């Protein structure tokens, strides 16, 4: 069943799914055809090599048709699934550099990487204003804590994507920057007055709507807008505010409905139908096949019974088709992502920031490096750098003795000091650790969460990321070949 202007509508046209692996197997292809699914989100499990990814996208487009939407979370920083392209800095690194042209160029490079293989939709940029240093899920994914900075950098990021021919998607509307809970794990609330939301969280989204192809919703309750339902399921938010008050007619896509903020409170099928009723155009039904089918079946039943308004749903399909037509899922093998390596390397260096006036130890010094042995991937982010790799990096500058820890609470700082060596602490995890509050190394390398610099009582160098390009920028600073010229994009 396929959607037509006046004919029956397939619920699959309103649902985005993920697929099991790096190839499109016959069973999955049949499943996509059977339900009329046109939208797929890819993850690290789907990515092995550039050639494999291009083949997968071509197979997906062949099955899903000319209106195929193939998406990826390709933000930069820690949110990058492919490992075979040069790594781009994340949003906060670009916020620290505070250069709109650079932000546009980096985002165009991200988009070119995707177009190379046929991915036509990037779930970026993040427009959350990260005013809460304890935010467990946004942090360095945001451009910063200032509304004006986020808006300027967001506009540049959108322009870069459009210039390179990939649909961008701003997130997480109406704002995930002042939460202390992760919606992957719980249902957050933002208890702010409407006027405060208007001046803060809302502003980047509202101001950039004219140049925004798509908006992703947040699974957060905003009592000033709707005291009962999270934004993803709230007609007051998606239709009343976004569609009617702000006159937005681009695509609205939900965040993953498999996140506990939704799954633990509403159930997949019911929540998918509620999101469409609220005003979403596309429901992101990720996870195991049974959960996807629960969403697909509930939506199809609601379409067949008239519970979902046919005119509204046809308008959603038209928006999705318009997006796919403007940004077709066609690979362009004339693009060479490696050609952007120098641009991205330089962009990481531009964001490098100093806190409390750090001074590098002289090259050749004997130092004690304290770093976490291994940091696994955490929900949206990929695995960070391990202690041994970091020690090997630093041996290009210093005589390094490594102390690798599993849990920072187990660190004995008196014993570490007893070595008689200058101590360099590297923080490499997404989350801040209470056990590191007030500790006093000689130098702190904040290689992931920049807010960790607020915990450790030492001068710090902030890279806003752990990718090889970020580490090389840090090494250039340590060896005296680079100045940390970035500006902290949050209050210190």
């Amino acid at each position: 069943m396929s959607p037509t202007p006046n004919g029956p509508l397939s619920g699959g046209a309103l649902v985005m799914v993920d697929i099991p692996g790096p190839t499109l197997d016959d069973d999955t292809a049949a499943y996509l055809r059977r339900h009329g699914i046109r939208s797929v989100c890819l993850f690290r499990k789907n990515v092995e090599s550039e050639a494999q990814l291009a083949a997968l996208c071509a197979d997906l487009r062949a099955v899903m048709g000319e209106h195929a939407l193939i998406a990826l979370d390709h933000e930069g920083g820690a949110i990058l699934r492919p490992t075979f392209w040069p790594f781009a800095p994340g949003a906060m690194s670009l916020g620290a550099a505070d250069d709109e042209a650079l932000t546009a160029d980096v985002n165009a490079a991200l988009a070119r990487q995707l177009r190379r293989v046929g991915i036509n939709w990037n779930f970026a940029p993040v427009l959350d204003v990260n005013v809460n240093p304890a935010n467990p899920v946004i942090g360095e994914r945001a451009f910063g804590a200032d509304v004006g900075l986020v808006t300027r950098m967001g506009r540049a990021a959108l322009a870069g994507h459009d210039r390179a021919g990939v649909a961008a998607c701003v997130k997480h509307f109406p704002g995930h920057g002042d939460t202390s809970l992760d919606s992957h794990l719980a249902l957050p609330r933002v208890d702010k007055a409407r006027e405060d939301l208007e001046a803060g969280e809302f502003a980047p989204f509202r101001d950039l709507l004219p140049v925004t192809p798509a908006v992703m919703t947040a699974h957060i309750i905003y009592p000033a807008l709707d005291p009962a339902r999270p934004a993803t399921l709230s007609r007051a938010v998606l239709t009343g505010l976004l569609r009617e008050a702000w006159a937005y007619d681009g695509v609205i896509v939900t965040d993953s409905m498999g996140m506990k903020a939704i799954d633990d409170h509403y159930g997949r099928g019911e929540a998918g139908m509620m999101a469409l009723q609220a005003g979403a155009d596309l429901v992101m039904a990720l996870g195991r096949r049974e959960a996807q089918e629960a969403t697909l079946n509930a939506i199809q039943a609601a379409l067949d019974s008239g519970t979902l308004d046919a005119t509204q749903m046809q308008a959603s399909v038209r928006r999705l088709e318009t997006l796919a037509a403007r940004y077709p899922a066609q690979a362009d093998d004339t693009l060479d992502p490696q050609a952007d390596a120098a641009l991205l390397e330089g962009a990481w260096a531009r964001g490098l920031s100093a806190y409390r006036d750090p001074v590098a130890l002289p090259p050749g010094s004997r130092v004690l490096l304290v770093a976490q042995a291994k940091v696994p991937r955490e929900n949206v982010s990929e695995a960070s750098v391990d202690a041994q790799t970091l020690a090997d990096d630093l041996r290009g500058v210093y005589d390094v003795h490594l102390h690798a820890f599993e849990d920072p609470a187990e660190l004995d700082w008196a014993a570490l000091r007893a070595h008689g060596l200058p101590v360099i602490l590297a923080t490499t995890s997404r989350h801040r650790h209470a056990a590191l509050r007030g500790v006093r190394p000689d130098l702190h390398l904040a290689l992931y969460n920049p807010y960790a610099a607020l915990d450790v009582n030492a001068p710090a160098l902030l890279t806003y990321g752990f990718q090889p390009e970020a580490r090389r920028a840090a090494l250039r600073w340590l060896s005296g070949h680079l100045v940390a010229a970035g500006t902290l994009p949050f209050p210190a």
Side-chain angles (χ1 to χ4, degrees):
M1 189 185 302
S2 60
T4 62
N6 300 300
L9 180 64
S10 166
L14 303 166
V15 174
M16 170 174 275
V17 301
D18 61 330
I19 60 174
T23 60
L24 184 60
D25 61 273
D26 291 343
D27 176 67
T28 303
Y31 167 69
L32 297 176
R33 289 192 186 97
R34 182 168 65 253
H35 288 285
I37 294 167
R38 297 169 162 191
S39 305
V40 164
C41 186
L42 302 178
F43 292 90
R44 177 63 67 86
K45 65 184 178 181
N46 307 119
V47 178
E48 288 181 343
S49 70
E50 187 177 80
Q52 164 272 323
L53 188 54
L56 174 60
C57 292
D59 290 344
L60 284 169
R61 190 177 190 278
V63 168
M64 296 193 295
E66 63 178 330
H67 299 302
L69 290 167
I70 304 172
L72 195 69
D73 287 297
H74 201 56
E75 297 175 17
I79 319 297
L80 291 167
R81 311 308 178 203
T83 58
F84 39 78
W85 292 324
F87 291 101
M92 194 166 281
S93 176
L94 294 171
D98 195 6
D99 183 327
E100 292 164 57
L102 180 67
T103 295
D105 288 344
V106 167
N107 278 266
L110 282 167
R112 282 191 291 270
Q113 292 175 349
L114 299 185
R115 271 195 63 213
R116 164 81 179 183
V117 296
I119 295 169
N120 60 338
W121 199 3
N122 188 9
F123 289 151
V126 170
L127 293 189
D128 302 317
V129 183
N130 200 78
V131 296
N132 187 344
N135 195 319
V137 68
I138 303 301
E140 87 296 338
R141 298 170 66 195
F143 290 110
D146 177 76
V147 169
L149 175 69
V150 172
T151 304
R152 287 188 293 104
M153 294 299 113
R155 187 181 300 279
L158 287 163
H161 275 84
D162 188 66
R163 185 173 84 209
V166 169
C169 181
V170 301
K171 57 188 185 184
H172 306 81
F173 175 77
H176 208 320
D178 195 11
T179 60
S180 56
L181 296 175
D182 180 349
S183 50
H184 292 83
L185 307 173
L187 179 56
R189 292 170 59 96
V190 174
D191 289 296
K192 287 185 173 180
R194 176 66 179 262
E195 56 267 28
D196 294 331
L197 292 170
E198 291 279 358
E201 280 84 345
F202 291 179
F205 293 98
R206 182 187 62 237
D207 293 352
L208 297 180
L209 285 180
V211 290
T212 294
V215 173
M216 181 183 289
T217 67
H219 303 328
I220 300 173
I221 292 176
Y222 304 81
L225 301 176
D226 187 332
R229 292 184 176 182
T232 296
L233 308 182
S234 171
R235 190 166 179 84
V237 175
L238 301 189
T239 296
L241 180 63
L242 191 50
R243 291 280 187 229
E244 296 174 353
W246 293 353
Y248 182 64
D249 195 40
V251 166
I252 301 175
V253 57
T254 74
D255 207 340
S256 170
M257 303 297 270
M259 293 160 62
K260 290 181 180 295
I262 298 296
D263 212 13
D264 283 3
H265 294 84
Y266 300 95
R268 294 293 188 92
E270 178 71 12
M273 187 182 66
M274 290 169 67
L276 294 174
Q277 287 177 320
D281 298 306
L282 189 65
V283 174
M284 199 185 300
L286 307 183
R288 64 192 189 282
R289 178 74 65 83
E290 313 89 83
Q292 294 181 12
E293 289 185 324
T295 302
L296 289 159
N297 293 338
I299 290 172
Q300 190 63 58
L303 287 169
D304 295 342
S305 68
T307 303
L308 286 172
D309 179 77
T311 301
Q312 180 183 330
M313 296 306 106
Q314 291 287 4
S316 290
V317 170
R318 283 194 296 272
R319 291 187 191 101
L320 294 164
E321 290 179 346
T322 299
L323 187 71
R326 181 177 174 185
Y327 304 98
Q330 294 175 324
D332 184 351
D333 60 10
T334 67
L335 298 173
D336 178 13
Q338 301 305 322
D340 290 317
L343 163 69
L344 300 180
E345 186 97 12
W348 280 102
R350 291 278 305 281
L352 204 66
S353 303
Y355 175 62
R356 292 180 172 173
D357 301 317
V359 176
L361 296 160
S365 299
R366 293 186 66 215
V367 302
L368 175 63
L369 173 65
V370 179
Q372 190 166 347
K374 188 174 183 180
V375 185
R377 71 178 305 276
E378 300 179 50
N379 56 59
V380 295
S381 68
E382 301 300 335
S384 183
V385 61
D386 62 88
Q388 188 59 59
T389 298
L390 189 55
D392 292 343
D393 285 347
L394 263 63
R395 288 190 177 108
V397 180
Y398 298 129
D399 177 3
V400 177
H401 176 71
L402 173 64
H403 181 90
F405 63 85
E406 299 293 338
D407 181 349
E410 298 171 355
L411 290 172
D412 182 339
W413 285 89
L416 293 172
R417 283 290 183 195
H419 286 275
L421 299 175
V423 178
I424 299 176
L425 170 67
T427 52
T428 55
S429 79
R430 165 168 291 286
H431 297 294
R432 296 163 67 181
H433 292 286
L436 294 178
R437 289 178 190 155
V439 301
R440 301 174 67 91
D442 295 286
L443 177 65
H444 175 201
L445 300 180
L447 299 178
Y448 195 164
N449 189 328
Y451 297 96
L454 306 180
D455 300 326
V456 176
N457 190 13
L461 182 73
L462 285 67
T463 62
Y464 307 97
F466 53 80
Q467 304 290 10
E469 291 86 344
R471 304 197 311 267
R472 288 196 290 269
L475 291 175
R476 289 173 61 199
W477 180 85
L478 289 168
S479 60
H481 295 115
L482 180 65
V483 174
T487 302
L488 289 186
F490 56 85

